[in-house]
Each structure stands twice: as structure tokens, then as C-alpha cells.
Amino acid sequence: MAAITKETIIGTILDTNPEAAPMFLSIGMHCLGCPASRGETVEEACQVHGVDADEFLSALNAYLAAAE
């Protein structure tokens, strides 16, 4: 998968990279199977959970690159 951006839908990330789930859980996003959360963008989820989207994306992309 290409680098994940603020506009990437969480459901898409989890469908292609299920190993990303712990990263979302770490920001308090515990309802990953919920239709609403799976349809959110990374930026929307970060806003809801009070997380800096740029920092989270940096960490998420690094985590996924290391998992390859």
C-alpha cells in the first residue's frame, strides 16, 4: 500500500493492513469494526480523539514500513 495520508479511509487501511489495528487502538479508537469508524478518514479520527494527525501518520507509516 502507498503511504497513508490524512484522507485515507480507516476501513481501507484495516482491510489492506490489519496489523495497523494496534496503532488505532493506541489513540483510543476501540471501535474499529463499527461502520462509522471504518468510514472515517485518518484526519477525522485524529480530530475526534485529540491526536495530532501528522504525528500519528508519521508513526503509522513507519510502523507499517517496518512490518513489511
Side-chain angles (χ1 to χ4, degrees):
M1 177 175 208
I4 295 166
T5 68
K6 291 179 182 179
E7 294 79 27
T8 307
I9 301 294
I10 292 170
T12 302
I13 298 167
L14 295 174
D15 288 345
T16 58
N17 298 94
E19 68 275 13
M23 293 295 295
F24 289 99
L25 294 172
S26 76
I27 66 167
M29 191 171 183
H30 299 286
C31 185
L32 295 178
C34 155
S37 68
R38 288 188 52 89
E40 285 182 324
T41 65
V42 172
E43 184 173 39
E44 291 167 336
C46 286
Q47 287 174 347
V48 168
H49 294 284
V51 173
D52 181 276
D54 293 319
E55 288 180 17
F56 179 72
L57 282 168
S58 178
L60 178 60
N61 281 306
Y63 177 81
L64 292 174
E68 291 181 349

